Amino acid sequence: MAQQEEVFKKLIAHCKEYGFVFPSSEIYDGLAAVYDYGQNGVELKNNIKRYWWDAMTMLNDNVVGIDAAIFMHPTTWKASGHVDAFNDPLIDNRDSKKRYRADVLIEELLAKFDDKIEKEVEKAAKRFGETFDEALFRQTNPRVVENREKRDALHARFTKALNDSNLDELKQIIVDYEVVCPISGTKNWTDVRQFNLMFATEIGSTADGAMKIYLRPETAQGIFVNFLNVQKTGRMKIPFGIAQIGKAFRNEIVARQFIFRMREFEQMEMQFFVRPGEEMKWFEYWKQFRLRWHKALGLGDHKYRFHDHDKLAHYANAATDIEFEMPFGFKEVEGIHSRTDFDLGSHEKYSGKNIKYFDPELNESYVPYVIETSIGVDRTFLSIMAAAYDEQTLEGGDSRVVLHLPAVLAPVKVAVLPLVKKDGLPEKAREVMNLLKFDFKAVYDEKDSIGKRYRRQDAVGTPFCVTIDHETLENETVTIRHRDSMQQERVKISELYGIIENEVSLKSLLKKL
Ligand code: GAP
């Protein structure tokens, strides 16, 4: 774990050094849990969004997109339940004055039991070698059984406390399990309190009577309030979906782990409207579709898992997360929720407008049920960067940091490098740039030795480097270097488009879904 933390620190430093992610307003010492994306970060982010948007709206011809405003009428948030129920249980340590989410502290306790079990299994696997029967060991080893029983007892108590919204019981668990503050090392805890996560501001001048409004904590409500607009103007028939990408804001209590938990972040959400009673079928469908979307990136199938929710949100009758193995353990990247008719029904009630759908096949009107897929752009970004980051020792004792980014998402697809800054090579390299730049994000670099330039491109994950040398002037050929294998081949300039396109095309990624 300590080694993983070390790698994570290096990844954060790398993100800054190579123009992926900067702390917000850094010249003023930054703003907690707010980040800016740099020149490479924004390209990667845009590519992730393009992959999601095309997968959702082009591969599913019954899904269309919108772009709703961040500001919404304040009653939206009353209807959605966020004013009353969008809370986190927080607890303070009186000595360190640090604030924690009580549920997160207890989840960390649960993870400790899981770690103990996995360590026993790993040790035994090493001891017994090929004869090891893992399933039998898990069932019978006394230490594994004891830890599992303790974990399950804690899990049951925790889930009940969450479902009953029993804040005293959450505190009691923290006391009973002798949780200590990682900063002060003491158990001097306050009571657990609820804390609303929405940011409020005012719209209009005070003279006109300013109105308190919220920065949206999820993009989904912009879709719900536009359900009828899209259904009518797009002549949409159920089942159909509405997709949206946009910023969301939450005043997170525990703002840690870099861009994993931010106060301003971006979501890619889709609400899929279905007939009441058919929601579980579609819940399954979208779970599988979304998992395929993640796995198609090739970061490693074993890095993903589903995690069903212990506590269902106020609007859901089923919910699961797609978790990714981050450097700090398996964590949620995407949520898939069966939201029933809660949101549309509630907006109907609060607005007094009829938000029903007339189903011509059934010849009846109803409030549709909704399956939601909700993924964070920033968490996806982090998962991809974490999986891509690699420190390699090369033959001859040399080393390099390389980002094995999926080529289709890489910020820069190709770097064009004249071998030397003279003899007409820069001019020829510019010609090649002008050829490629209409199809691919290409960069030109003539500074430093060719080796240094390759390392710079490796560090930002550029899949191809094209080198222009003296032979190029004679026969219109160049060398093309592949990032992961570092293999170089001599090809005709006229072949470059085909070679690069073959690896970086979004179309071939979409075809895997
Ligand atoms: N509309 C449903 C909804 O918002 P959620 O599970 O609260 O559900 C969905 O959020 C996704 O948004 C999460 O899986 C995560 O990727 C992302 N997300 C949520 N809070 C975030 C935060 N503070 N920072 C970064 N991403 C966040």
Side-chain angles (χ1 to χ4, degrees), residues 11 14-15 18 20 40 384-385 387-394 398-406 410-417 443 445 449-467 480-488:
L11 176 66
H14 190 86
C15 280
Y18 286 92
F20 283 90
N40 285 314
I384 292 167
M385 287 295 279
Y389 183 84
D390 189 15
E391 294 173 2
Q392 289 181 334
T393 310
L394 307 173
D398 205 2
S399 69
R400 68 166 182 165
V401 173
V402 53
L403 293 185
H404 301 289
L405 291 172
V412 177
K413 305 301 187 214
V414 53
V416 179
L417 318 170
V443 298
D445 189 4
S449 72
I450 196 75
K452 273 196 184 155
R453 282 181 271 166
Y454 284 156
R455 292 290 171 274
R456 271 205 292 273
Q457 295 306 323
D458 290 343
V460 297
T462 306
F464 297 105
C465 287
V466 168
T467 304
I480 184 162
R481 174 186 180 269
H482 299 258
R483 175 195 68 200
D484 295 343
S485 66
M486 295 185 285
Q487 294 290 322
Q488 298 184 29

Side-chain angles (χ1 to χ4, degrees), residues 217-364:
E218 61 170 13
T219 60
Q221 297 304 323
I223 293 178
F224 288 122
V225 299
N226 278 297
F227 164 73
L228 276 188
N229 283 338
V230 174
Q231 190 270 318
K232 293 219 160 90
T233 58
R235 301 158 61 84
M236 308 300 289
K237 284 211 169 63
I238 272 181
F240 75 91
I242 305 177
Q244 175 170 221
I245 300 178
K247 289 271 178 138
F249 305 82
R250 296 181 190 177
N251 197 1
E252 297 283 359
I253 305 161
V254 182
R256 282 189 283 150
Q257 292 162 330
F258 192 37
I259 54 172
F260 181 78
R261 199 176 299 288
M262 300 157 88
R263 295 198 164 112
E264 174 179 342
F265 57 100
E266 214 166 351
Q267 290 186 315
M268 305 187 281
E269 297 202 295
M270 196 255 334
Q271 316 299 131
F272 197 71
F273 300 94
V274 305
R275 278 185 189 155
E278 293 192 354
E279 69 271 20
M280 285 309 152
K281 178 178 90 184
W282 288 109
F283 181 62
E284 261 321 300
Y285 171 85
W286 284 108
K287 266 174 74 173
Q288 298 312 328
F289 183 88
R290 293 302 310 147
L291 189 63
R292 280 202 300 283
W293 184 91
H294 287 275
K295 288 187 172 174
L297 288 172
L299 306 179
D301 289 3
H302 63 286
K303 287 182 181 276
Y304 298 93
R305 69 180 188 195
F306 284 121
H307 175 248
D308 294 334
H309 285 203
D310 291 329
K311 182 187 182 216
L312 291 174
H314 56 274
Y315 49 72
N317 71 356
T320 196
D321 294 336
I322 295 177
E323 293 187 338
F324 182 83
E325 192 176 11
M326 300 279 187
F328 39 89
F330 273 94
K331 295 286 169 195
E332 172 191 347
V333 173
E334 172 157 10
I336 298 151
H337 312 124
S338 173
R339 286 179 83 128
T340 67
D341 58 354
F342 172 83
D343 301 87
L344 288 182
S346 191
H347 286 305
E348 196 171 50
K349 199 169 92 197
Y350 276 84
S351 67
K353 308 272 171 18
N354 178 355
I355 313 189
K356 291 192 178 54
Y357 168 79
F358 177 73
D359 190 324
E361 281 171 35
L362 299 181
N363 201 25
E364 68 178 66

Side-chain angles (χ1 to χ4, degrees), residues 40-90:
N40 285 314
V42 69
E43 296 287 347
L44 173 56
K45 207 172 170 212
N46 284 343
N47 293 339
I48 294 170
K49 290 194 269 186
R50 168 58 58 198
Y51 173 40
W52 183 87
W53 188 261
D54 288 0
M56 299 304 275
T57 67
M58 282 164 62
L59 301 190
N60 300 284
D61 59 11
N62 54 356
V63 176
V64 294
I66 62 163
D67 182 21
I70 287 171
F71 293 149
M72 299 183 72
H73 193 283
T75 310
T76 309
W77 305 110
K78 194 75 195 142
S80 69
H82 284 81
V83 171
D84 297 320
F86 194 52
N87 301 316
D88 273 347
L90 71 84

